[in-house]
Amino acid sequence: MITLLVQEGQTCNQLLSLSALLALGIENGCDVKCPVVDNQLFKMFEFKNETNIKVLFYHAKYTELLKILIKVIKRITHNDFSKTFDVENMQKNQYFLNWLSYLDNDSYVHNVDSIRSFFKIKSEIYDLCKKKYDAINDDCTVIGVHLRRGDYKIYQNGIWYYDDNIYIKWMKSLKESYEGKIKFILCSNEKIDLKKYEMAGLDVANPGKSSIEDLTYLGLCDYVMGPPSSYSFWAAMYGNKRRCILDDRNKEYTWLDFKYFEERLSVGDYIR
């Protein structure tokens, strides 16, 4: 059995760590376990196991104590406990404190359908968003734009923190190079000034009322764009949509920059 003892980061970082664990288990025929799953995830996703392995994802009573203990150990030892998955000893119990150490692109790509089925969004959330999305759609091409703000102002020295004018420039460029009708659904962890985008001649909407609703709307869109983030990665992967990674504020992005995640991983890129 492969066991993950640490869940760190926000919702989609946690989803990535669990989905990578699930993919590795399916690929190698090993049962998987994570006893420290955030309770909030169970309110958003069904965790429906239709695979041929045993999957034990739950929130144990000792979760918070374990989190504190591991943080203390890491700080004292200055060790992130990274190690690789031992394929030669698959029948032995293997424990991980760092999910990046077992992330495997091939396993993820091979088992992406199982990942989508397992982490199915709760029907009451999905159905509500789908109904609103259909009303917004109006037979046009819809691009979901993840305006990642908040912590990105200081993360990596703000390299991927873009103001409205930069997003507007990219969105107008895509609109002007497209023959059909385009609408943009905007999602952010900060309040969005829709009027600024409308005054630039863009057809925009911001229907999401929570993080999970935003994630659902992004996955429903025909295309997804946003800075490097597990959030927009998950939306595009889950919805099986092409995504444009906005990782250079000075670049002019085109429709050719939208790619399925399998295309990126198959050429050696990494999940971001």
Side-chain angles (χ1 to χ4, degrees):
M1 177 171 283
I2 315 168
T3 301
L4 175 64
L5 293 174
V6 175
Q7 276 274 270
E8 297 178 321
Q10 300 183 48
T11 299
C12 288
N13 280 332
Q14 295 178 37
L15 287 172
L16 270 179
S17 66
L18 292 174
S19 59
L21 180 66
L22 177 66
L24 186 66
I26 297 172
E27 188 78 1
N28 293 282
C30 293
D31 297 336
V32 295
K33 176 180 178 181
C34 180
V36 292
V37 178
D38 191 324
N39 275 324
Q40 288 300 314
L41 294 183
F42 294 109
K43 298 177 182 179
M44 303 175 184
F45 302 92
E46 293 186 2
F47 286 71
K48 188 177 181 181
N49 185 19
E50 297 177 340
T51 71
N52 58 356
I53 64 170
K54 184 182 294 184
V55 181
L56 301 174
F57 289 166
Y58 59 97
H59 185 90
K61 292 181 179 179
Y62 57 79
T63 294
E64 298 307 317
L65 179 60
L66 182 60
K67 286 181 180 179
I68 295 172
L69 180 61
I70 290 174
K71 282 184 178 180
V72 171
I73 292 174
K74 284 184 175 182
R75 185 171 299 177
I76 292 174
T77 62
H78 302 288
N79 189 341
D80 65 359
F81 295 91
S82 297
K83 66 175 183 177
T84 56
F85 176 64
D86 188 355
V87 181
E88 301 300 324
N89 293 289
M90 288 190 298
Q91 303 310 313
K92 291 185 178 180
N93 290 330
Q94 299 189 45
Y95 298 89
F96 290 89
L97 302 181
N98 185 335
W99 70 275
L100 287 173
S101 61
Y102 63 71
L103 173 62
D104 178 68
N105 284 356
D106 290 340
S107 295
Y108 210 96
V109 171
H110 294 166
N111 298 287
V112 66
D113 288 336
S114 294
I115 291 172
R116 292 181 182 123
S117 297
F118 187 92
F119 295 96
K120 185 178 180 182
I121 296 172
K122 292 274 190 179
S123 57
E124 59 266 30
I125 299 172
Y126 182 86
D127 292 346
L128 174 64
C129 292
K130 182 65 167 62
K131 184 177 180 180
K132 290 183 179 179
Y133 176 82
D134 289 342
I136 291 171
N137 189 342
D138 193 25
D139 295 324
C140 58
T141 297
V142 183
I143 301 179
V145 187
H146 180 212
L147 285 68
R148 181 63 184 264
R149 301 277 176 74
D151 59 330
Y152 264 36
K153 195 165 189 175
I154 58 174
Y155 178 68
Q156 297 287 347
N157 295 317
I159 189 172
W160 298 317
Y161 185 93
Y162 309 128
D163 62 28
D164 291 325
N165 292 329
I166 295 178
Y167 281 108
I168 288 171
K169 177 190 70 172
W170 286 328
M171 292 160 65
K172 287 184 69 176
S173 177
L174 290 170
K175 178 187 175 183
E176 290 166 1
S177 62
Y178 190 74
E179 294 183 359
K181 182 180 177 183
I182 288 185
K183 176 167 286 192
F184 298 90
I185 287 182
L186 309 183
C187 301
S188 180
N189 50 343
E190 288 185 358
K191 187 175 180 179
I192 301 173
D193 184 358
L194 289 180
K195 288 185 178 180
K196 187 176 291 187
Y197 291 82
E198 291 169 345
M199 289 177 65
L202 298 169
D203 189 356
V204 295
N206 174 224
K209 303 301 180 185
S210 65
S211 174
I212 184 58
E213 286 191 13
D214 279 347
L215 195 64
T216 305
Y217 282 117
L218 285 177
L220 286 167
C221 293
D222 299 304
Y223 298 87
V224 178
M225 59 189 287
S229 166
S230 58
Y231 195 86
S232 53
F233 166 84
W234 186 269
M237 180 280 296
Y238 185 82
N240 195 23
K241 305 298 170 58
R242 291 185 176 92
R243 170 177 168 235
C244 175
I245 301 177
L246 307 173
D247 55 2
D248 184 348
R249 67 181 63 243
N250 298 312
K251 182 176 177 179
E252 295 292 334
Y253 292 96
T254 71
W255 290 97
L256 295 177
D257 292 306
F258 288 87
K259 300 181 184 300
Y260 291 107
F261 91 97
E262 294 97 330
E263 296 178 71
R264 300 185 191 280
L265 297 190
S266 63
V267 294
D269 201 351
Y270 55 96
I271 290 176
R272 58 179 180 149

